[in-house]
Amino acid sequence: MSAAALPVCLTRPPKLVLHPPPVSKSDIKPVPSFNHCCRKTTKKQVRKGKTPEEVVKKYLQKVKSPPEEDCTICMEPLGGPSGYKGPGVGPVSKAESVGQLAQCGHQYHFQCLVAMYNNGNKDGSLQCPTCKTIYGVKTGNQPAGKMEYHVIPHSLPGHPDCKTIRIIYNIPPGIQGPEHPNPGKPFTARGFPRHCYLPDSEKGRKVLRLLLVAWDRRLIFSVGTSSTTGESDTVIWNEVHHKTEFGSNLTGHGFPDPGHLDNVLEELRVQGITEEDAVVEK
Ligand SMILES: [Zn+2]
Ligand SMILES: [Zn+2]
């Protein structure tokens, strides 16, 4: 067989480009219309000490005569007692045994809602298990750390007309608090500082504003088990996707990705963060 008959591969395999070209310090600029370029959360962040019953009551309205329906948490009739038999839920008077969530109107046993709240990360908010309406402000358990953000003079694939917002997250390892899976045990923090990218467009800045709110509410990272390495008690991303691949898209966390900003806005909305939350950048 002659060499000419061999199949020839004309396209080179795509190359992974994780980082932007080098940027000199003088080329790093603040993000237009943002007053700061760094955000810190300290270990002293206090949490409001409300009992689970007090939290749940805040979002409930009284129901005089419960309908002939089952509670969708315990599957027992709303007219009868809660089917929840576990620990951590005190007795309740007949008059208060069923409540209606103020905004969406879904009804549950009071004790079932308290049990559900206790099972979650007790963040002061409550989510209707039926329609997912969030009551109160959802906050997470992101450990103390730092978020920096600025503009670098390079464009992302798919965004040739604008520069790039670079976010640098830094979270050091530490000891887990009461809000974490294993209080008192150390947690690791791999791959920090983590660099992330957004186009410096109007929409990209809007996403950044909401990410700052998410950061303040401790919702960007969490402590848990890494889905990529299986390591437990480590800092992990918390359901708001970030782009960590600057110049290619081989990991699925890169560009171009036309739907990315809308996806992030939707993920933030699920966390209870919308444009109204971002009017003030502190
Ligand atoms: Zn129930
Ligand atoms: Zn509901």
Side-chain angles (χ1 to χ4, degrees), residues 104 106 108 128 130-131:
C104 65
H106 287 115
Y108 305 97
C128 174
T130 303
C131 69

Coordinates of all heavy atoms in Angstrom, one line a residue, residues 104 106 108 128 130-131, ligand 2:
C104 N -47.8 30.6 48.5 CA -48.3 29.6 47.5 C -49.5 28.9 47.9 O -50.2 28.3 47.1 CB -47.2 28.6 47.1 SG -46.7 27.5 48.4
H106 N -49.9 26.1 49.7 CA -49.9 24.7 49.9 C -49.9 24.4 51.4 O -49.3 25.1 52.2 CB -48.6 24.1 49.2 CG -48.7 24.1 47.7 ND1 -47.9 24.8 46.9 CD2 -49.6 23.4 47.0 CE1 -48.2 24.5 45.6 NE2 -49.2 23.7 45.6
Y108 N -49.6 21.8 54.8 CA -48.9 20.7 55.3 C -49.2 20.6 56.9 O -49.6 21.6 57.5 CB -47.4 20.8 55.1 CG -47.0 21.0 53.7 CD1 -46.8 22.3 53.2 CD2 -46.9 20.0 52.8 CE1 -46.4 22.5 51.9 CE2 -46.5 20.2 51.5 CZ -46.3 21.5 51.0 OH -46.0 21.7 49.7
C128 N -41.1 25.4 49.7 CA -42.3 24.5 49.6 C -41.9 23.3 48.8 O -41.4 23.4 47.6 CB -43.4 25.3 48.8 SG -44.9 24.2 48.5
T130 N -43.7 21.2 47.2 CA -44.6 21.0 46.1 C -44.2 21.9 44.9 O -43.9 21.5 43.8 CB -46.0 21.2 46.4 OG1 -46.4 20.4 47.5 CG2 -47.0 20.9 45.3
C131 N -44.2 23.2 45.2 CA -44.0 24.2 44.1 C -42.6 24.9 44.1 O -42.3 25.7 43.2 CB -45.1 25.2 44.0 SG -45.0 26.3 45.4
Ligands
ZN2 ZN -46.2 25.6 47.3

